[in-house]
Amino acid sequence: MHAAVAKCPYATAGAASPGNPHRHLSRSLLQVSAASLAKFDQSKVASLDVNAVKADLKKFMVTEQASWPADLGHYGGLMIRLAWHCAGSYRSWDGRGGCDGARQRFLPEMAWDDNTNLDKARKLLVPIKEKYGDALTWGDLIVLAGTTAIESMGAPVLGFCAGRIDDVDGTASLELGPTPEQQAVAPCTRGDGMCEQPLGQTTMGLIYVNPEGLMGNPVPKNSVAGIRSSFGRMGMNDSETVALIGGGHAFGKTHGACPTGAGPGPLKSPSNPWPGTCGSGPMKGRGPNTFTSGFEGSWTTRPTEWTNQYFRNLLGFEWVKHKGPGGHWQWKPTSRKGASGAAATADLPNIMMLTADMALLEDPEYLKYTKIFSQDLEALNTAFSHAWYKLMTRDMGPYSRCLGKAPMLPPPQPFQLQLPAPPAKLADFNAVKADVAGLLKTDTENAAKFTRLAWQCANTFRATDYAGGCNGARIRFSPQKDWPSNKGLDQVLKLLEPVKKKYPSLSWADLIVLAGTTALQQAAADAGSGSVDLKFCGGRTDAADGKGTDVLEPRSYVNASVALADNAKVMGLTPREAVALAGMLRSTAQQQSLGYSGSWASSAAGQSRQDNSYFKVLLNNIWEPSKSASGKDEFKAKGNAKLFMMPSDVAIKRSPAFAAHAGEYAKDNAKFLQALAGAWTKVMNADRFDGPAGNVCA
Ligand code: HEM
C-alpha cells in the first residue's frame, strides 16, 4: 500500500495522508534504507524508456559478476525466481502482497525461507536501478527483470505494465506473516504446512507450497490439494497453474550443493544473511557451492532456453525419490516411459523434479494440461505468456493504473475488469442533484437509504490491490447484490430509477455516488448544526456484469476489533477516517432489514439528520451483548431497550486507537462533519484512477 494515485482532484479532500495507514506497526522489525525512500513520480515513470531498460537487462543477463556468478553464464533463472517470489505473495482474499511496493526488500518478506539468496539478485540489479533513478521503481525493475529474462531465453511474453509504487518499508506485508499481525488477521489454524485462506501460502515463509511435499513428505499426490488451493487463492486456475510451474521450471536450477545450509538469514545476520556454507576457498557458498532451497539440479537439459522439455521429461521417464546432496527429498529419472522428445538418456543424471512437480502427474486436470503442453508448444506459449502477465500484474488493479505504451503495454486483460469509456458529454450533474434533492423530500428515510447505497457501493475499494469501488456500479449484479450486507439495496436502486431514465448519459455509478453525496449534505443541513462541503466529480461508467468481484465479499475475521482495524487498513483509511464514517446516518428500518433489532438512533437525529449524535450515544451508554431474533450478534443499551449497536460499533469504543477519535467527535460536531466530509470524499473517489472526465464536478 502506498501513496494514493486516484486522480480525482477531491480524492483526498480534508483527509489525512491516504498512504499506508499502518506505518506505526512494529517499526523496529522493519528495515528502512535510504535507497527505498525514493518518491513515486508518475510523469517520470510514464516517460521511462522501457526498451532501453530491457536492452540493459538483456546485456546484464549474460554479463557475469564476480560477486555472484551466474549458473551457465545466465542470470535468467535467478531473475525469474526474483520476480515470481515478489509477485507471488499476492492473495486475493484481501489484495495484500504482490510486487507493487517491492516489499520483498524489507522484513518480513525478505527473511522468508523462499527468498533465500534473493538479496544477491537485487544487489545485481542496483546499477540498473541507479541508472534510471526514480523513473524505474524497484517493483517495476524486478518485474521487468523477470519478464526480460523470459524473453531473452526465447519464451513469448505478453508485455509489461509499469507503474508500481515502491513502499518505504515492509509494514504492508506484516499481515502476510509470520508476525503477530498475521496471526491476528490471518491465522494458520490447521497448522503450518496446511495453512488455508486467508493466507495465500500453505506454509509460512514459502510462496505457495512445500516443494518437498506436504509436511516434507515426498508423496506427490498429497501435494495436489495444496497446489490447487494456494494457486487458487491467488486467482489462478488449473491451466494457468500448470503452465506457470512447468513454464517457470523450463528455466534455471535448484541449489543445494551440500547439507550445511545457506546461513543464518536476515534476522540473525542482517548485513550478510546468507553467506553460504558449502565448499571452501574463494568459491565457498557461491557458484557450484550455492545453497538456496537445498534441492540440487535443473528440470531440463537446456535451462537457459525456452522449451517444453519440462513436460516431456515429466511424462517421459519413471522417476524415483532420493535424497539429493542438500539432504532433501527430490526425484531422479530412471527408465524411459517411451514418450518422444524427453531428455537424452545420457543426460539423465543432470535432471531432477521436486515432489511439487511430480504432483502434476497425480491429478486428472493437471495431467491433462501436462500432456497438452508436452505436445503443443504453441498452447504452452499462449498459456504461459498470459499467466505470467497476470501473475506479475494482478496486484496492480485496473488497467488505468498501467503506465507505458503499446506494443510493450498489452491491451486490457480479463482480470483487469476494464470499464467502458465515459460518454463524450456527461449529464448535467447540478440538474441530477436537484432531482435527487426532490426525492429526499418525499421520504425522510431516503437520506439514509441513499448514503447507505453509495457507501456499500464504494466501500469494496481495497488500497491493497486497487480492486473494488463504485466505478462500474457492479453492486447492481451478482454476486454483490446477493451479499447479505447489501440486502434491500435493490429497492433503493428502484427509487433512483426515474432519475437514471431521465438522463441518458448518466451512469448508475455516478448516480449512486451523487445521490449518496447529496443525501449526506442535505442531512447535515437538516440537522442545523453545521454543513458538509462535498464535491462530486462525474465520469464513472457502468460495467456490463459483476464478474470478477467475488473476491470483494466482506471478509470474516476472528472478532469485531480485528475486523474494524483491518477493514480500515485494507480500504486505506486511517482510524480517524474510519471512525468518522461509522458516524454516518443510519436508519432503524434498514438495520432491521439486515436482521438487527434496531439502531442506535431512536429519533430523527441519526436516521435522517447528520450530526455527531452517534458518538454521544456510543460513549454514554453501557452496551450489553445480545442476539437479535434472527440470530445476529448485537449490543443493546443497558436501561434503554430501544437502542442497539453492531459489534463493529462497540469495537470502536473498546479499541484505544479508535475510541479517542470517537471522543473527539462526540465533543465537537463541526470537527466531526469536517472529518466525515474528508473521509466520504476519499472513499467515493478512491477508485478514480482515470480521473473525472473533462473535470466535470458539481
Ligand atoms: C526454482 C519450487 C513454482 C520459477 C525453484 C526452486 C524451488 C522451487 C525449490 C529452487 C530454488 C533454488 O534452490 O535456487 C517451486 C514450487 C512451485 C514453483 C514448489 C509451485 C508449486 C514456480 C513458478 C515459477 C517458478 C510458478 C515461475 C513462473 C522458478 C525458476 C527457478 C525456480 C525460474 C530457478 C531459479 C534459479 O535458476 O536460480 N522453484 N517453484 N517456480 N523456480 Fe520454482
Side-chain angles (χ1 to χ4, degrees), residues 291-303:
F291 187 106
T292 300
S293 60
F295 304 95
E296 182 57 40
S298 56
W299 295 267
T300 82
T301 54
R302 288 149 62 196

Side-chain angles (χ1 to χ4, degrees), residues 127-212:
I128 297 183
K129 173 74 184 95
E130 284 178 349
K131 178 171 172 187
Y132 293 93
D134 290 351
L136 180 62
T137 62
W138 267 110
D140 280 351
L141 174 55
I142 290 170
V143 169
L144 192 55
T147 305
T148 306
I150 290 173
E151 200 178 36
S152 74
M153 293 188 285
V157 297
L158 198 63
F160 170 65
C161 149
R164 286 163 196 80
I165 305 172
D166 289 343
D167 279 12
V168 296
D169 58 36
T171 40
S173 290
L174 287 172
E175 287 82 2
L176 301 179
T179 59
E181 289 80 1
Q182 161 261 316
Q183 282 182 19
V185 166
C188 174
T189 45
R190 285 187 66 203
D192 200 8
M194 291 191 288
C195 307
E196 292 174 324
Q197 184 139 287
L199 286 162
Q201 68 276 47
T202 63
T203 311
M204 300 309 302
L206 302 186
I207 300 296
Y208 288 6
V209 298
N210 186 339
E212 205 169 6

